[in-house]
Amino acid sequence: MGILMDKDALDAFLRREFPQIGDDFSIEDVTLEGARVRLNVSDKHLRPGGTVSGPSMFALADVSVYLAILARLGPVGLAVTTSCAIDFLRKPASGRDLVASTRLLKVGRVLVVGDVLIHSEGMEEPVARASLTYSIPPEKPDS
């Protein structure tokens, strides 16, 4: 089984189904194992002091796993996050984009488990690490 949705298809899906966040993210790479997604940091992603907020980093981790799942399984719009653990490791560089490298660890019939490392552009060490589990909706039988 290969990739079912490439970068262009994922971008179109994100912009169509989630227009409120479509401009926040750029899909940089998609493979069978995962994806690399950029958070296009703007003022709305910053907390006092000019650093990227925790909720923005969570959103990046969540969206990047979701897109990796769609790339692998196709447009499963109702896949949902069932679990997330995130470790904030260090302060991101001020005003710089964040890049999430996502790896799908297990793709089952019902659950998908992914791991995400988030780097701040220009920094070698990761700023956050997350582990997410998604629930895949059952396929509807043909009518």
Side-chain angles (χ1 to χ4, degrees):
M1 171 190 254
I3 294 173
L4 297 181
M5 294 180 77
D6 64 12
K7 285 184 350 180
D8 292 338
L10 290 170
D11 186 61
F13 179 89
L14 190 63
R15 290 175 185 281
R16 182 179 65 250
E17 299 299 327
F18 300 97
Q20 68 276 25
I21 63 166
D23 291 334
D24 288 354
F25 302 97
S26 299
I27 303 158
E28 295 191 343
D29 190 31
V30 177
T31 67
L32 194 57
E33 292 78 30
R36 191 172 61 247
V37 179
R38 175 178 298 266
L39 173 65
N40 304 310
V41 173
S42 68
D43 286 346
K44 69 181 177 181
H45 301 113
L46 303 180
R47 55 170 284 138
T51 190
V52 177
S53 71
S56 293
M57 287 190 262
F58 170 84
L60 174 59
D62 194 35
V63 166
S64 67
V65 171
Y66 183 63
L67 292 171
I69 290 168
L70 296 180
R72 182 90 169 256
L73 300 179
V76 184
L78 297 178
V80 295
T81 310
T82 60
S83 174
C84 177
I86 188 166
D87 298 308
F88 301 104
L89 306 172
R90 56 190 49 83
K91 182 179 175 181
S94 182
R96 303 295 298 264
D97 286 353
L98 298 182
V99 178
S101 298
T102 301
R103 184 174 49 138
L104 298 180
L105 303 174
K106 177 186 188 247
V107 180
R109 270 184 323 102
V110 177
L111 296 176
V112 176
V113 178
D115 190 50
V116 183
L117 278 179
I118 299 175
H119 285 82
S120 186
E121 190 175 54
M123 291 177 63
E124 188 173 325
E125 296 294 321
V127 297
R129 183 203 79 64
S131 176
L132 289 93
T133 302
Y134 262 76
S135 176
I136 306 303
E139 291 183 31
K140 294 179 182 171
D142 293 336
S143 302

